[in-house]
């Protein structure tokens, strides 16, 4: 059995373990909020308003487990999510229609908003990615869709398919009062009790939230109209994003991991053990006190000469 849900040599691993994912995750939530029906599901059936930080950390946990968790761990988390979603429904106040949280079109939107945000943000942050890597990533993530109850055929399998989907759904997107309130929460979230020691550093979050907003598509920023959007803002956001990533990449793992839930860190520790047992090697040793551990795949034994058999 493979040691992790996604291999360290996959594009998924390269993107999901990059420090720019903090911006990517918040950007995804801001983009998702522009779907009026999906936003109502979050507004009515989640604790987002009282604990937006908790939602972000749960998203981070899902991304972590479905990247470097074991297959058993990832499947168990997926089963839990599907079980919770099956029990939840909500009413769209605009139409009076009852919707299920696990409604296919809503799950597809959430998936695509996340995958496109992660890929776009990582690319702009300076993660070396080719067009082929982009296609591979979208295809790899079509497997992850199964954890929330979708099939690979329900979601785009390449960049062209992702672009077609986003173009098709865009006319139905808009910034509702609930969406704008969600963005306010994300720009200035409540610090959870377990991270109370970070409260004095809370002002440092605003640049992350503002940068997440600034990296949204121009049409999305116009729809929200909540922060200044001067000419050249896309280029400025990309430059700032690269600077933020460079700074975060210098933070040693043991300090960086303090912001994650214990279960997320424990999953990473177990993944490291499985990878080493499977023959992977730590590629970067103690460089920068291991700002981020990189793994090298096991060497493939050279084929034996038939004459030696």
């Amino acid at each position: 059995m493979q040691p992790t849900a996604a291999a360290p040599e996959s594009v998924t691993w390269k993107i999901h373990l990059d420090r720019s994912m903090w911006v990517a995750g918040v950007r995804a939530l801001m983009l998702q909020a522009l779907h009026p029906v999906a936003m109502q599901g979050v507004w009515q059936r989640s604790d987002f308003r009282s604990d937006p930080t908790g939602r972000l950390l749960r998203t981070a946990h899902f991304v972590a487990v479905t990247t470097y968790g074991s297959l058993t761990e990832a499947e168990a988390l997926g089963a839990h999510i599907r079980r919770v979603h099956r029990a939840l429904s909500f009413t769209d106040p605009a139409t009076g229609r009852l919707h299920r949280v696990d409604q296919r079109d809503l799950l597809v939107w959430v998936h695509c908003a996340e995958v496109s945000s992660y890929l776009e943000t990582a690319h702009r942050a300076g993660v070396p990615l080719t067009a082929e890597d982009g296609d591979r990533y979208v295809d790899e993530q079509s497997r992850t869709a199964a954890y929330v109850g979708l099939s690979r055929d329900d979601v785009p399998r390449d960049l062209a398919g992702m672009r077609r989907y986003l173009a098709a759904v865009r006319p139905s997107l808009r910034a509702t009062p609930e969406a704008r309130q969600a963005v306010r929460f994300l720009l200035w979230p409540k610090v959870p009790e377990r991270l109370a020691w970070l409260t004095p550093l809370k002002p440092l979050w605003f640049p992350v939230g503002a940068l997440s907003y600034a990296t949204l598509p121009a049409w999305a920023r116009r729809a929200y109209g909540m922060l200044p959007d001067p000419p050249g803002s896309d280029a400025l956001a990309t430059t700032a994003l690269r600077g933020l990533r460079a700074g975060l990449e210098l933070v040693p793992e043991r300090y960086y991991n303090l912001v994650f839930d214990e279960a997320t860190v424990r999953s990473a520790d177990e993944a490291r053990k499985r990878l080493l047992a499977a023959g992977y090697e730590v590629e970067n040793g103690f460089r920068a006190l291991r700002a981020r551990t990189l793994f090298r795949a096991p060497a493939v034994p050279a084929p034996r000469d038939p004459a030696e058999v």
Side-chain angles (χ1 to χ4, degrees), residues 58-59 61-66 71-83 147-148:
R58 286 192 296 275
T59 299
H61 182 66
F62 175 80
V63 170
V65 170
T66 57
L71 288 175
T72 299
E73 189 180 2
E75 289 166 0
L77 179 58
H80 171 73
I81 290 171
R82 295 193 300 274
R83 184 167 58 251
Y147 294 123
V148 297

Side-chain angles (χ1 to χ4, degrees), residues 174-194:
R174 66 178 185 276
T176 62
E178 292 85 357
R180 288 192 175 89
Q181 187 63 30
V183 170
R184 292 189 187 96
F185 285 137
L186 292 168
L187 288 172
W188 195 253
K190 177 182 178 182
V191 178
E193 287 186 13
R194 74 171 193 83

Side-chain angles (χ1 to χ4, degrees), residues 8 13 271-272 275-276 280-284 293-297:
W13 189 285
R272 182 179 289 107
L275 287 166
L276 294 175
Y280 281 80
E281 297 178 354
V282 174
E283 181 177 305
N284 58 333
T293 303
L294 304 178
F295 290 95
R296 181 189 301 115

Side-chain angles (χ1 to χ4, degrees), residues 102-233:
D102 63 356
Q103 193 171 299
R104 177 186 170 279
D105 62 321
L106 301 183
L107 294 178
V108 171
W109 164 247
V110 170
H111 172 89
C112 290
E114 289 179 352
V115 171
S116 62
S117 288
Y118 300 164
L119 179 58
E120 168 80 7
T121 304
H123 175 67
R124 291 177 65 178
V127 178
L129 296 167
T130 64
E132 291 76 14
D133 288 335
D135 283 333
R136 279 181 55 201
Y137 176 67
V138 174
D139 188 56
E140 289 170 4
Q141 287 304 293
S142 70
R143 297 181 184 277
T144 304
Y147 294 123
V148 297
L150 295 168
S151 74
R152 298 189 73 186
D153 293 333
D154 286 329
V155 298
R157 298 283 296 275
D158 57 24
L159 281 173
M162 180 65 75
R163 292 186 185 110
R164 286 193 298 270
Y165 170 80
L166 293 174
V169 75
R170 180 176 162 183
S172 64
L173 305 179
R174 66 178 185 276
T176 62
E178 292 85 357
R180 288 192 175 89
Q181 187 63 30
V183 170
R184 292 189 187 96
F185 285 137
L186 292 168
L187 288 172
W188 195 253
K190 177 182 178 182
V191 178
E193 287 186 13
R194 74 171 193 83
L195 295 178
W197 58 276
L198 284 176
T199 300
L201 301 177
K202 184 177 177 181
L204 296 178
W205 174 262
F206 184 77
V208 176
L211 192 51
S212 303
Y213 179 96
T215 55
L216 286 168
W219 63 264
R221 300 195 303 270
R222 288 194 297 270
Y224 277 126
M226 295 176 61
L227 292 179
D229 195 15
S233 57

